[in-house]
Amino acid sequence: MKPMAHLGVGIGWRPEIADAVERLSGLDWVEVVAENVCPGHLPESLLRLRERGTRVVPHGVSLGLGGADRPDPAKLAALGERAVALGAPLVTEHIAFVRTSSPVLEAGHLLPVPRTRDALDVLCENVRIAQDALPVPLALENIAALFSWPGEELTEGQFLTELVERTGVRLLIDVANLHTNRVNRGEDPAAVLDAIPLEALAYVHVAGGIERNGVWHDTHAHPVPPVVLDLLAELRSRVEPAGVLLERDDDFPPEAELAGELAAIRAVVTAAPAAPGKTVTAGSGPAGHGPGTGRGNEPSAGPGTEPGTGPRPVEESARTRVALGQAALLSALVAGTPVPEGFDRRRIRVQARALAAKRAEVVAKLAPELPVILGGPDPYREAFLSYAKGRPMTSGYRRDALDFAGDLLIRDLPADPAARRRLTTWWRDRAGARPPRRIVRWARTLAGRAA
């Protein structure tokens, strides 16, 4: 595996802190959410950073490579376009599923895949499809989870190791997610770090969160706690990472606080390793060890391959089994169907509430007029959460905002005529059509009841 290009210490670029990011001294690189930038219309701030020589890495959130379906070619093409437009050395995504196709449901969030042989086979084939389509190497991130799947056959370390061995994909290790999974799933971060091939490490994420009622929420909206910095030091004692990045997605602090968090991260990264001679350089494992060479994406012969034949295709029955399990879980989370056998029902309820709350927050950000029209944040949130109980998301958040507004209008809401007129105008301007007439509303209501 080729050595990773040195990245240094960076921060997640977000529009809300774009000016502050440009002013941060000693910043080596930034990461952008791939779906939030357009290749032909890059933000001026990102262009200025690139002109200064700051590397930019696109970080995808919507591929769902851990899902039962094969990757969407259009989404892969879009991710590749962003990599080219940004001159990125690699692109990153997540080991997660985000949607199902039967029924058509969107989580709007990264959900854990079961650590089973079937799920690993599906993931590996999806990763190879993505690697073939992308113009630069791919790295995948371990995610934070609120719950575990029943009947898992592999540990986190075994799952990640086989993924690397079979595909040659690099790893993006989020140490905050290791802490989240320690609290929520009882997993030992040190055991994970000891088990995985750290020579495949692309870079590292660091972020903050908060514990509520025994559950750790990976918010990216709180300061990085000491326990996460301690895990960064644990990782640093084993490997010299090519890059470390601070993630912050909400409740952005003053610029001085961001600079202070970056300084704390830099201090950990530059500290002498705890065990001299023990560390390896990420992406440069010893000869004969580690997956492939070339772009860093070529699979080696490992489980799921036969010498001289390459990776064997995944049996459709395996995809079907993964699809059924993921559909049953996602339906319980967003459509109120019964929780599948073996899951922790309390944790599933916590996750369901978190998904609904995230939907409400994202829709409010994408359509800030809606809370204003509905009388403020609290009435908006109450109305949206009521809507979400019976209307799971089947497309993106922008479509969700339109569907929410349309649902209110069908029910002759809001009650205030002036607010309803404003909502009608808002909906019409974006949907390009007239709201359904009353007789159509009645027909839809009756059809829904009959169904």
Side-chain angles (χ1 to χ4, degrees):
M1 179 174 286
K2 287 184 177 179
M4 262 295 299
H6 179 74
L7 292 172
V9 175
I11 192 169
W13 184 93
R14 304 292 183 265
E16 297 90 340
I17 54 172
D19 292 341
V21 168
E22 288 190 61
R23 291 190 295 265
L24 289 169
S25 62
L27 186 70
D28 299 310
W29 65 294
V30 298
E31 181 191 77
V32 298
V33 177
E35 290 80 358
N36 290 351
V37 295
C38 178
H41 304 279
L42 294 176
E44 292 294 327
S45 173
L46 281 180
L47 292 175
R48 287 192 293 269
L49 286 169
R50 285 196 62 207
E51 288 169 1
R52 283 164 33 182
T54 304
R55 287 183 182 267
V56 182
V57 173
H59 185 54
V61 297
S62 65
L63 272 183
L65 291 174
D69 295 325
R70 290 175 176 82
D72 182 344
K75 290 183 183 295
L76 285 172
L79 184 56
E81 287 171 4
R82 283 148 179 79
V84 171
L86 294 167
L90 78 165
V91 296
T92 58
E93 248 287 354
H94 299 83
I95 301 169
F97 83 99
V98 298
R99 65 182 62 86
T100 58
S101 59
S102 181
V104 177
L105 295 172
E106 288 277 347
H109 189 71
L110 303 165
L111 294 175
V113 300
R115 290 177 297 210
T116 61
R117 291 290 173 189
D118 280 345
L120 180 60
D121 287 346
V122 169
L123 173 63
C124 287
E125 185 170 88
N126 288 350
V127 168
R128 288 191 288 266
I129 292 169
Q131 289 170 327
D132 288 343
L134 292 169
V136 294
L138 171 68
L140 295 181
E141 179 181 350
N142 60 307
I143 71 163
L146 282 173
F147 59 88
S148 297
W149 282 77
E152 293 193 313
E153 300 163 342
L154 301 165
T155 65
E156 178 79 343
Q158 291 169 334
F159 194 86
L160 295 178
T161 297
E162 286 206 27
L163 171 65
V164 171
E165 289 175 346
R166 292 168 59 172
T167 66
V169 76
R170 293 186 186 273
L171 296 176
L172 191 180
I173 295 299
D174 188 316
V175 291
N177 291 351
L178 292 179
H179 174 64
T180 300
N181 295 339
R182 169 167 54 192
V183 176
N184 295 347
R185 305 204 287 187
E187 296 172 0
D188 180 3
V192 175
L193 293 175
D194 284 340
I196 61 177
L198 289 172
E199 65 275 7
L201 181 66
Y203 60 86
V204 180
H205 272 175
V206 179
I210 190 170
E211 186 171 350
R212 298 191 191 99
N213 301 319
V215 175
W216 186 268
H217 297 269
D218 180 47
T219 63
H220 293 193
H222 292 81
V224 177
V227 67
V228 171
L229 289 177
D230 290 345
L231 283 178
L232 178 61
E234 281 271 353
L235 182 145
R236 178 63 185 88
S237 73
R238 293 164 169 79
V239 67
E240 183 180 349
V244 181
L245 184 119
L246 170 65
E247 286 190 297
R248 188 76 179 233
D249 294 324
D250 209 347
D251 289 341
F252 298 100
E255 186 176 329
E257 288 188 32
L258 288 176
E261 289 203 295
L262 286 172
I265 290 169
R266 190 174 287 108
V268 174
V269 173
T270 57
K278 178 181 177 181
T279 60
V280 298
T281 301
S284 59
H289 183 71
T293 55
R295 288 196 312 171
N297 280 338
E298 293 79 357
S300 63
T305 66
E306 295 178 11
T309 65
R312 65 171 180 261
V314 175
E315 295 181 3
E316 287 304 313
S317 58
R319 284 193 181 272
T320 299
R321 289 189 292 270
V322 171
L324 290 172
Q326 291 180 348
L329 173 63
L330 187 51
S331 182
L333 288 170
V334 303
T337 57
V339 177
E341 190 67 31
F343 283 95
D344 183 326
R345 284 171 167 72
R346 186 181 73 86
R347 286 296 176 87
I348 297 300
R349 288 194 296 270
V350 172
Q351 181 72 84
R353 289 194 296 269
L355 292 180
K358 182 178 180 180
R359 277 179 73 186
E361 291 167 6
V362 174
V363 167
K365 286 181 179 180
L366 290 174
E369 304 88 351
L370 292 178
V372 175
I373 293 171
L374 295 178
D378 291 341
Y380 159 78
R381 181 181 173 86
E382 181 180 353
F384 189 91
L385 292 179
S386 175
Y387 153 81
K389 287 180 181 178
R391 292 288 299 275
M393 186 163 57
T394 58
S395 189
Y397 283 110
R398 295 186 189 279
R399 182 73 249 176
D400 206 22
L402 281 173
D403 289 346
F404 168 55
D407 182 72
L408 290 174
L409 293 172
I410 286 173
R411 295 187 289 122
D412 286 329
L413 296 172
D416 175 51
R420 194 160 61 250
R421 284 194 296 271
R422 292 174 64 192
L423 185 62
T424 298
T425 300
W426 182 91
W427 187 91
R428 184 185 294 127
D429 287 347
R430 288 152 183 82
R434 290 196 299 178
R437 293 174 298 164
R438 186 180 298 272
I439 190 167
V440 176
R441 300 174 196 170
W442 288 343
R444 287 183 180 175
T445 301
L446 289 172
R449 289 173 182 169

